[in-house]
Amino acid sequence: MSRIGKMPISLANGVQIAVDKANVVTVKGPKGELKQALDPDITISVEDGVMTVQRPTEQKRHKALHGLYRALLNNMVQGVTQGFKKQLELVGVGYRASVVRGQILELLLGYSHPIYFIVPKEVKVTTISEKGKDPMVILESNDKQLLGQVAAKIRTYRKPEPYKGKGIKYTGEILRRKAGKSAGKGGKK
């Protein structure tokens, strides 16, 4: 058995699970509704507030799908109950972020022009700019996959560089720093 796949998923109060004939699972909760299409071989059962995922055989493909779909369904249940949050820090002189007209994020990252990023409506975006601290972009959503994809896309506009650490990084991310040039090596005497 897959160690992840065989673990049961406990459902909180207010979470409803529905599976249709095309094997599409719909999870509804206080923070919204999410859908996920499953492989036709994978089956789901809900009993006494606990959801389990089963596979038909011990084939390598079924084993892989078993753990995958269990993890995706667990993220969906967690998303509609608690939600997910990612924080990005903008490290660099003059780096700023602001929300313009709803879901448009304006980024000033040291280029000759501002970057405008349209955030999907499923993701809530806010910015924090305090004096003396690095500006932050906070993304919140009930869909973990979409949230990670949006955060990764924003990060690609200016990845942290290894010498000074300037760029967009996740809060709590540890960067490998490199030493710069050292003076006094070689040269004329």
Side-chain angles (χ1 to χ4, degrees), residues 3 6-7 23 25 76 87 100 119 123 130 141 162 169 180:
R3 275 188 260 168
K6 69 181 177 182
M7 292 170 35
N23 217 18
V25 178
M76 290 168 62
Q87 296 180 344
V100 184
V119 180
V123 178
E130 294 179 11
S141 179
K169 68 176 195 138

Side-chain angles (χ1 to χ4, degrees), residues 69-108:
Y69 286 128
R70 190 267 175 203
L72 291 176
L73 291 171
N74 187 47
N75 287 341
M76 290 168 62
V77 170
Q78 191 175 346
V80 297
T81 54
Q82 302 163 0
F84 295 101
K85 184 178 188 179
K86 286 225 184 243
Q87 296 180 344
L88 300 165
E89 291 179 21
L90 281 68
V91 180
V93 177
Y95 287 14
R96 289 185 309 228
S98 60
V99 179
V100 184
R101 289 176 284 155
Q103 291 293 99
I104 299 175
L105 180 66
E106 179 185 29
L107 300 167
L108 298 170

Side-chain angles (χ1 to χ4, degrees), residues 37-58:
L38 301 182
D39 190 88
D41 296 338
I42 303 296
T43 57
I44 296 199
S45 64
V46 180
E47 295 172 2
D48 301 328
V50 175
M51 179 169 54
T52 54
V53 181
Q54 290 99 21
R55 64 175 185 245
T57 67
E58 294 294 316

Side-chain angles (χ1 to χ4, degrees), residues 156-176:
T156 61
Y157 290 124
R158 184 69 94 170
K159 286 188 180 175
E161 52 95 16
Y163 297 101
K164 293 182 180 177
K166 288 172 44 174
I168 301 174
K169 68 176 195 138
Y170 297 110
T171 301
E173 179 182 9
I174 298 170
L175 301 173
R176 290 193 64 195

Side-chain angles (χ1 to χ4, degrees), residues 142-157:
N142 61 358
D143 190 347
K144 189 174 185 178
Q145 293 179 46
L146 179 65
L147 182 69
Q149 189 175 0
V150 169
K153 180 66 178 168
I154 292 171
R155 188 175 185 268
T156 61
Y157 290 124

